[in-house]
Amino acid sequence: MDLKRYFVEFSYDGSAFHGWQSQPNALSIQEVVEDGLSKLLKKKISIIGAGRTDAGVHAKQMFAHFNASINDEYLEDLVFLLNSYLPKSINIISLENVRETAHARFDAIERSYEYYISTVKDPFSNSYHYFLKNVPDINLMNEAATVLLNYKDFKCFSKSHTDVKTFLCDIKNASWSKKENKIVFNITSNRFLRNMVRSIVGTLLEIGLNKRPIQDMKHIIESKDRGKAGFSVPAKGLFLTKIIYPSNVYLK
């Protein structure tokens, strides 16, 4: 049987993992999923993810691609077997046959993240929210967030000494919402830089808590200097929530 390309869609709790990417002496999501596929397909399988989430970051929707020879009738059973084999922190949602040149990372046209904050101590969501004692000004943070839509270069929010070739991102949406004691930041872009969302959230919180003026947002972005931006919020509150691909990626 000829090799075919597949997209695997899954979600995970990143608490116990040292990020997405395989690395020596540290457990990664990529390594665990590859191990499961390799064991069940009885062949060494390498997967390429839609992006690299940092240590402790979670995903409600993530994609990766790999090549294998799988009978189409076996795909549904393979999803069940993978979920039986993998730890409870990783859930396989689907396996889809895609065109042979489809790429989980480069073909993605839109990605969305959410960051969760709680303004009360909550033992049931402590691991998935950043606890903030003081309530920030949501309206002020939303006003500051709209400034992001006027720019493309976000080097100021990127992890220092990163190996990317460009710092350009097309942010389509950036907004805050509040319901009772929970605050959520939602952001959508064609791509994201390493640590970008967490440093944007930290900067906006400093504005919302009146630790810096709203005018700083424009100056920080134009400076292209990570040192001028705000702190990076903890990874545990960050979720990759959605990835969109063109419909022609799939064969069905």
Side-chain angles (χ1 to χ4, degrees):
M1 189 184 296
D2 293 336
L3 282 177
K4 296 179 182 177
R5 180 155 292 188
Y6 298 89
F7 268 15
V8 53
E9 179 187 359
F10 53 105
S11 57
Y12 55 83
D13 177 338
S15 303
F17 299 97
H18 202 76
W20 160 259
Q21 193 169 18
S22 294
Q23 50 199 293
N25 308 315
L27 187 66
S28 71
I29 295 110
Q30 182 181 19
E31 176 189 345
V32 173
V33 176
E34 284 181 342
D35 179 65
L37 283 167
S38 298
K39 285 275 186 359
L40 292 170
L41 295 175
K42 297 179 172 58
K43 179 187 176 183
K44 175 64 178 173
I45 299 293
S46 297
I47 62 175
I48 295 176
R52 302 175 188 175
T53 53
D54 291 334
V57 175
H58 318 289
K60 293 183 179 180
Q61 185 182 54
M62 177 61 149
F63 287 89
H65 76 254
F66 66 94
N67 295 330
S69 299
I70 308 172
N71 189 313
D72 289 346
E73 296 177 358
Y74 180 57
L75 286 177
E76 195 171 320
D77 289 339
L78 184 56
V79 170
F80 175 80
L81 292 170
L82 270 172
N83 278 323
S84 301
Y85 178 84
L86 293 171
K88 292 179 180 178
S89 51
I90 301 176
N91 174 51
I92 303 299
I93 299 168
S94 68
L95 276 166
E96 295 272 357
N97 192 202
V98 295
R99 56 182 172 81
E100 61 181 19
T101 56
H103 198 289
R105 180 182 174 190
F106 298 133
D107 282 342
I109 55 176
E110 195 171 285
R111 297 165 169 88
S112 295
Y113 279 90
E114 288 179 351
Y115 193 85
Y116 295 91
I117 293 170
S118 179
T119 56
V120 295
K121 187 177 180 182
D122 183 353
F124 302 107
S125 64
N126 231 6
S127 300
Y128 309 103
H129 287 79
Y130 173 39
F131 170 54
L132 202 61
K133 182 180 178 182
N134 299 315
V135 181
D137 186 327
I138 300 295
N139 292 331
L140 195 60
M141 292 196 298
N142 268 326
E143 187 180 343
T146 61
V147 177
L148 294 165
L149 307 182
N150 299 326
Y151 293 89
K152 300 294 183 186
D153 189 321
F154 295 102
K155 185 177 181 180
C156 65
F157 296 124
S158 174
K159 188 178 181 72
S160 300
H161 310 298
T162 186
D163 58 356
V164 297
K165 295 178 181 178
T166 176
F167 295 96
L168 301 181
C169 304
D170 183 15
I171 297 178
K172 297 177 174 64
N173 169 67
S175 60
W176 292 87
S177 60
K178 185 178 186 297
K179 186 176 181 181
E180 297 176 344
N181 299 314
K182 304 294 188 236
I183 301 172
V184 182
F185 178 63
N186 186 290
I187 186 167
T188 299
S189 178
N190 65 326
R191 66 189 289 263
F192 288 92
L193 307 168
R194 286 197 67 191
N195 208 236
M196 178 175 166
V197 180
R198 290 164 61 194
S199 56
I200 286 175
V201 171
T203 304
L204 291 172
L205 282 175
E206 289 181 1
I207 292 171
L209 293 167
N210 295 308
K211 293 183 177 179
R212 63 165 77 210
I214 192 171
Q215 292 80 8
D216 270 14
M217 199 66 182
K218 179 175 180 290
H219 301 318
I220 290 166
I221 298 171
E222 292 178 358
S223 76
K224 301 182 183 180
D225 182 355
R226 177 65 186 91
K228 294 194 183 319
F231 74 107
S232 182
V233 289
K236 66 179 182 177
L238 184 60
F239 288 75
L240 173 60
T241 57
K242 193 171 186 179
I243 304 174
I244 294 177
Y245 293 93
S247 57
N248 64 3
V249 160
Y250 299 94
L251 292 180
K252 292 180 181 179

mmCIF file of all heavy atoms in Angstrom, residues 105-130:
data_model
loop_
_atom_site.group_PDB
_atom_site.id
_atom_site.type_symbol
_atom_site.label_atom_id
_atom_site.label_comp_id
_atom_site.label_asym_id
_atom_site.label_seq_id
_atom_site.Cartn_x
_atom_site.Cartn_y
_atom_site.Cartn_z
ATOM 1 N N ARG A 105 1.731 22.790 9.607
ATOM 2 C CA ARG A 105 2.197 24.107 10.050
ATOM 3 C C ARG A 105 2.002 25.174 8.971
ATOM 4 O O ARG A 105 1.388 26.214 9.206
ATOM 5 C CB ARG A 105 3.662 24.033 10.447
ATOM 6 C CG ARG A 105 4.235 25.367 10.935
ATOM 7 C CD ARG A 105 5.704 25.237 11.270
ATOM 8 N NE ARG A 105 6.309 26.526 11.593
ATOM 9 C CZ ARG A 105 7.615 26.725 11.734
ATOM 10 N NH1 ARG A 105 8.457 25.714 11.591
ATOM 11 N NH2 ARG A 105 8.085 27.916 12.016
ATOM 12 N N PHE A 106 2.517 24.918 7.794
ATOM 13 C CA PHE A 106 2.554 25.956 6.765
ATOM 14 C C PHE A 106 1.216 26.188 6.060
ATOM 15 O O PHE A 106 0.996 27.256 5.480
ATOM 16 C CB PHE A 106 3.640 25.650 5.737
ATOM 17 C CG PHE A 106 5.024 25.618 6.318
ATOM 18 C CD1 PHE A 106 5.901 24.588 6.017
ATOM 19 C CD2 PHE A 106 5.453 26.613 7.183
ATOM 20 C CE1 PHE A 106 7.176 24.558 6.566
ATOM 21 C CE2 PHE A 106 6.722 26.596 7.736
ATOM 22 C CZ PHE A 106 7.587 25.563 7.431
ATOM 23 N N ASP A 107 0.314 25.216 6.083
ATOM 24 C CA ASP A 107 -0.980 25.392 5.428
ATOM 25 C C ASP A 107 -2.030 26.037 6.333
ATOM 26 O O ASP A 107 -3.093 26.435 5.862
ATOM 27 C CB ASP A 107 -1.515 24.048 4.912
ATOM 28 C CG ASP A 107 -0.843 23.620 3.620
ATOM 29 O OD1 ASP A 107 -0.238 24.484 2.956
ATOM 30 O OD2 ASP A 107 -0.907 22.423 3.271
ATOM 31 N N ALA A 108 -1.747 26.131 7.622
ATOM 32 C CA ALA A 108 -2.699 26.759 8.544
ATOM 33 C C ALA A 108 -2.835 28.246 8.209
ATOM 34 O O ALA A 108 -1.840 28.943 8.044
ATOM 35 C CB ALA A 108 -2.242 26.580 9.979
ATOM 36 N N ILE A 109 -4.061 28.721 8.084
ATOM 37 C CA ILE A 109 -4.274 30.126 7.705
ATOM 38 C C ILE A 109 -4.717 30.985 8.892
ATOM 39 O O ILE A 109 -4.700 32.214 8.817
ATOM 40 C CB ILE A 109 -5.305 30.247 6.557
ATOM 41 C CG1 ILE A 109 -6.627 29.556 6.913
ATOM 42 C CG2 ILE A 109 -4.728 29.677 5.268
ATOM 43 C CD1 ILE A 109 -7.716 29.720 5.867
ATOM 44 N N GLU A 110 -5.107 30.324 9.972
ATOM 45 C CA GLU A 110 -5.580 31.087 11.126
ATOM 46 C C GLU A 110 -5.443 30.249 12.396
ATOM 47 O O GLU A 110 -5.729 29.052 12.399
ATOM 48 C CB GLU A 110 -7.046 31.468 10.914
ATOM 49 C CG GLU A 110 -7.577 32.538 11.826
ATOM 50 C CD GLU A 110 -8.968 33.000 11.401
ATOM 51 O OE1 GLU A 110 -9.070 33.743 10.405
ATOM 52 O OE2 GLU A 110 -9.955 32.589 12.047
ATOM 53 N N ARG A 111 -4.979 30.905 13.465
ATOM 54 C CA ARG A 111 -4.843 30.249 14.768
ATOM 55 C C ARG A 111 -5.456 31.154 15.829
ATOM 56 O O ARG A 111 -5.335 32.374 15.739
ATOM 57 C CB ARG A 111 -3.370 30.013 15.100
ATOM 58 C CG ARG A 111 -2.645 29.065 14.140
ATOM 59 C CD ARG A 111 -1.131 29.187 14.330
ATOM 60 N NE ARG A 111 -0.396 28.136 13.643
ATOM 61 C CZ ARG A 111 0.006 28.201 12.375
ATOM 62 N NH1 ARG A 111 -0.289 29.287 11.660
ATOM 63 N NH2 ARG A 111 0.686 27.219 11.824
ATOM 64 N N SER A 112 -6.086 30.548 16.815
ATOM 65 C CA SER A 112 -6.680 31.320 17.910
ATOM 66 C C SER A 112 -6.211 30.790 19.256
ATOM 67 O O SER A 112 -6.069 29.576 19.448
ATOM 68 C CB SER A 112 -8.205 31.252 17.855
ATOM 69 O OG SER A 112 -8.704 31.884 16.698
ATOM 70 N N TYR A 113 -5.976 31.727 20.170
ATOM 71 C CA TYR A 113 -5.607 31.384 21.545
ATOM 72 C C TYR A 113 -6.561 32.074 22.506
ATOM 73 O O TYR A 113 -7.108 33.140 22.210
ATOM 74 C CB TYR A 113 -4.194 31.872 21.867
ATOM 75 C CG TYR A 113 -3.064 30.994 21.379
ATOM 76 C CD1 TYR A 113 -2.516 31.180 20.119
ATOM 77 C CD2 TYR A 113 -2.533 29.987 22.192
ATOM 78 C CE1 TYR A 113 -1.467 30.386 19.666
ATOM 79 C CE2 TYR A 113 -1.485 29.195 21.757
ATOM 80 C CZ TYR A 113 -0.958 29.395 20.502
ATOM 81 O OH TYR A 113 0.086 28.611 20.059
ATOM 82 N N GLU A 114 -6.720 31.476 23.682
ATOM 83 C CA GLU A 114 -7.433 32.113 24.782
ATOM 84 C C GLU A 114 -6.570 32.052 26.022
ATOM 85 O O GLU A 114 -5.879 31.048 26.254
ATOM 86 C CB GLU A 114 -8.777 31.424 25.037
ATOM 87 C CG GLU A 114 -9.802 31.703 23.956
ATOM 88 C CD GLU A 114 -11.139 31.015 24.188
ATOM 89 O OE1 GLU A 114 -11.214 30.178 25.107
ATOM 90 O OE2 GLU A 114 -12.088 31.328 23.444
ATOM 91 N N TYR A 115 -6.622 33.129 26.817
ATOM 92 C CA TYR A 115 -5.901 33.146 28.080
ATOM 93 C C TYR A 115 -6.908 33.378 29.206
ATOM 94 O O TYR A 115 -7.723 34.308 29.144
ATOM 95 C CB TYR A 115 -4.818 34.227 28.118
ATOM 96 C CG TYR A 115 -3.886 34.026 29.297
ATOM 97 C CD1 TYR A 115 -2.805 33.156 29.189
ATOM 98 C CD2 TYR A 115 -4.135 34.640 30.522
ATOM 99 C CE1 TYR A 115 -1.970 32.910 30.277
ATOM 100 C CE2 TYR A 115 -3.312 34.393 31.616
ATOM 101 C CZ TYR A 115 -2.231 33.523 31.484
ATOM 102 O OH TYR A 115 -1.433 33.259 32.569
ATOM 103 N N TYR A 116 -6.854 32.526 30.235
ATOM 104 C CA TYR A 116 -7.844 32.541 31.303
ATOM 105 C C TYR A 116 -7.272 33.099 32.607
ATOM 106 O O TYR A 116 -6.199 32.686 33.057
ATOM 107 C CB TYR A 116 -8.375 31.124 31.543
ATOM 108 C CG TYR A 116 -9.136 30.568 30.365
ATOM 109 C CD1 TYR A 116 -8.488 29.836 29.374
ATOM 110 C CD2 TYR A 116 -10.507 30.786 30.228
ATOM 111 C CE1 TYR A 116 -9.180 29.337 28.279
ATOM 112 C CE2 TYR A 116 -11.210 30.286 29.140
ATOM 113 C CZ TYR A 116 -10.540 29.565 28.170
ATOM 114 O OH TYR A 116 -11.235 29.071 27.089
ATOM 115 N N ILE A 117 -8.039 33.986 33.194
ATOM 116 C CA ILE A 117 -7.658 34.620 34.460
ATOM 117 C C ILE A 117 -8.829 34.485 35.430
ATOM 118 O O ILE A 117 -9.991 34.592 35.042
ATOM 119 C CB ILE A 117 -7.337 36.120 34.242
ATOM 120 C CG1 ILE A 117 -6.070 36.274 33.388
ATOM 121 C CG2 ILE A 117 -7.168 36.852 35.571
ATOM 122 C CD1 ILE A 117 -5.818 37.691 32.915
ATOM 123 N N SER A 118 -8.515 34.226 36.686
ATOM 124 C CA SER A 118 -9.539 34.186 37.730
ATOM 125 C C SER A 118 -9.217 35.241 38.779
ATOM 126 O O SER A 118 -8.058 35.391 39.173
ATOM 127 C CB SER A 118 -9.586 32.799 38.383
ATOM 128 O OG SER A 118 -10.559 32.773 39.409
ATOM 129 N N THR A 119 -10.243 35.961 39.199
ATOM 130 C CA THR A 119 -10.019 36.998 40.212
ATOM 131 C C THR A 119 -10.396 36.511 41.615
ATOM 132 O O THR A 119 -10.433 37.283 42.559
ATOM 133 C CB THR A 119 -10.814 38.272 39.873
ATOM 134 O OG1 THR A 119 -12.199 37.938 39.734
ATOM 135 C CG2 THR A 119 -10.310 38.894 38.576
ATOM 136 N N VAL A 120 -10.687 35.214 41.729
ATOM 137 C CA VAL A 120 -10.892 34.594 43.044
ATOM 138 C C VAL A 120 -10.063 33.312 43.093
ATOM 139 O O VAL A 120 -9.812 32.688 42.059
ATOM 140 C CB VAL A 120 -12.384 34.248 43.312
ATOM 141 C CG1 VAL A 120 -13.225 35.500 43.382
ATOM 142 C CG2 VAL A 120 -12.922 33.283 42.267
ATOM 143 N N LYS A 121 -9.643 32.936 44.280
ATOM 144 C CA LYS A 121 -8.906 31.689 44.435
ATOM 145 C C LYS A 121 -9.867 30.528 44.217
ATOM 146 O O LYS A 121 -10.881 30.420 44.907
ATOM 147 C CB LYS A 121 -8.288 31.619 45.824
ATOM 148 C CG LYS A 121 -7.367 30.428 46.023
ATOM 149 C CD LYS A 121 -6.732 30.453 47.392
ATOM 150 C CE LYS A 121 -5.819 29.251 47.579
ATOM 151 N NZ LYS A 121 -5.210 29.207 48.921
ATOM 152 N N ASP A 122 -9.589 29.696 43.227
ATOM 153 C CA ASP A 122 -10.499 28.621 42.854
ATOM 154 C C ASP A 122 -9.728 27.301 42.783
ATOM 155 O O ASP A 122 -8.990 27.060 41.829
ATOM 156 C CB ASP A 122 -11.141 28.934 41.500
ATOM 157 C CG ASP A 122 -12.156 27.886 41.068
ATOM 158 O OD1 ASP A 122 -12.274 26.857 41.750
ATOM 159 O OD2 ASP A 122 -12.816 28.096 40.042
ATOM 160 N N PRO A 123 -9.887 26.415 43.759
ATOM 161 C CA PRO A 123 -9.123 25.164 43.766
ATOM 162 C C PRO A 123 -9.461 24.236 42.605
ATOM 163 O O PRO A 123 -8.677 23.344 42.279
ATOM 164 C CB PRO A 123 -9.510 24.515 45.104
ATOM 165 C CG PRO A 123 -10.814 25.122 45.474
ATOM 166 C CD PRO A 123 -10.773 26.519 44.938
ATOM 167 N N PHE A 124 -10.610 24.450 41.952
ATOM 168 C CA PHE A 124 -11.018 23.568 40.865
ATOM 169 C C PHE A 124 -10.520 24.025 39.492
ATOM 170 O O PHE A 124 -10.604 23.295 38.517
ATOM 171 C CB PHE A 124 -12.546 23.431 40.850
ATOM 172 C CG PHE A 124 -13.090 22.894 42.141
ATOM 173 C CD1 PHE A 124 -13.770 23.725 43.017
ATOM 174 C CD2 PHE A 124 -12.890 21.570 42.490
ATOM 175 C CE1 PHE A 124 -14.259 23.233 44.219
ATOM 176 C CE2 PHE A 124 -13.364 21.068 43.690
ATOM 177 C CZ PHE A 124 -14.050 21.911 44.570
ATOM 178 N N SER A 125 -10.024 25.235 39.403
ATOM 179 C CA SER A 125 -9.500 25.700 38.114
ATOM 180 C C SER A 125 -8.117 26.334 38.256
ATOM 181 O O SER A 125 -7.617 26.957 37.334
ATOM 182 C CB SER A 125 -10.470 26.705 37.476
ATOM 183 O OG SER A 125 -10.579 27.867 38.281
ATOM 184 N N ASN A 126 -7.534 26.139 39.430
ATOM 185 C CA ASN A 126 -6.229 26.723 39.731
ATOM 186 C C ASN A 126 -5.158 26.404 38.699
ATOM 187 O O ASN A 126 -4.296 27.223 38.403
ATOM 188 C CB ASN A 126 -5.760 26.212 41.103
ATOM 189 C CG ASN A 126 -5.341 27.357 42.007
ATOM 190 O OD1 ASN A 126 -5.496 28.517 41.659
ATOM 191 N ND2 ASN A 126 -4.810 27.011 43.158
ATOM 192 N N SER A 127 -5.218 25.182 38.161
ATOM 193 C CA SER A 127 -4.183 24.732 37.223
ATOM 194 C C SER A 127 -4.366 25.305 35.821
ATOM 195 O O SER A 127 -3.496 25.159 34.973
ATOM 196 C CB SER A 127 -4.187 23.200 37.131
ATOM 197 O OG SER A 127 -3.943 22.634 38.385
ATOM 198 N N TYR A 128 -5.521 25.944 35.577
ATOM 199 C CA TYR A 128 -5.829 26.410 34.222
ATOM 200 C C TYR A 128 -6.181 27.891 34.158
ATOM 201 O O TYR A 128 -6.651 28.368 33.130
ATOM 202 C CB TYR A 128 -6.968 25.566 33.634
ATOM 203 C CG TYR A 128 -6.697 24.089 33.744
ATOM 204 C CD1 TYR A 128 -7.319 23.319 34.725
ATOM 205 C CD2 TYR A 128 -5.778 23.471 32.906
ATOM 206 C CE1 TYR A 128 -7.043 21.963 34.856
ATOM 207 C CE2 TYR A 128 -5.490 22.117 33.019
ATOM 208 C CZ TYR A 128 -6.122 21.369 33.994
ATOM 209 O OH TYR A 128 -5.844 20.032 34.121
ATOM 210 N N HIS A 129 -5.979 28.594 35.269
ATOM 211 C CA HIS A 129 -6.208 30.034 35.305
ATOM 212 C C HIS A 129 -5.033 30.719 36.007
ATOM 213 O O HIS A 129 -4.414 30.135 36.892
ATOM 214 C CB HIS A 129 -7.481 30.386 36.091
ATOM 215 C CG HIS A 129 -8.752 30.058 35.394
ATOM 216 N ND1 HIS A 129 -9.268 28.781 35.338
ATOM 217 C CD2 HIS A 129 -9.635 30.842 34.724
ATOM 218 C CE1 HIS A 129 -10.408 28.798 34.675
ATOM 219 N NE2 HIS A 129 -10.658 30.034 34.296
ATOM 220 N N TYR A 130 -4.790 31.939 35.618
ATOM 221 C CA TYR A 130 -3.839 32.787 36.327
ATOM 222 C C TYR A 130 -4.640 33.553 37.372
ATOM 223 O O TYR A 130 -5.571 34.283 37.039
ATOM 224 C CB TYR A 130 -3.158 33.726 35.329
ATOM 225 C CG TYR A 130 -2.259 34.777 35.938
ATOM 226 C CD1 TYR A 130 -1.444 34.498 37.025
ATOM 227 C CD2 TYR A 130 -2.221 36.066 35.389
ATOM 228 C CE1 TYR A 130 -0.602 35.466 37.567
ATOM 229 C CE2 TYR A 130 -1.384 37.041 35.920
ATOM 230 C CZ TYR A 130 -0.580 36.739 37.008
ATOM 231 O OH TYR A 130 0.245 37.697 37.544
#
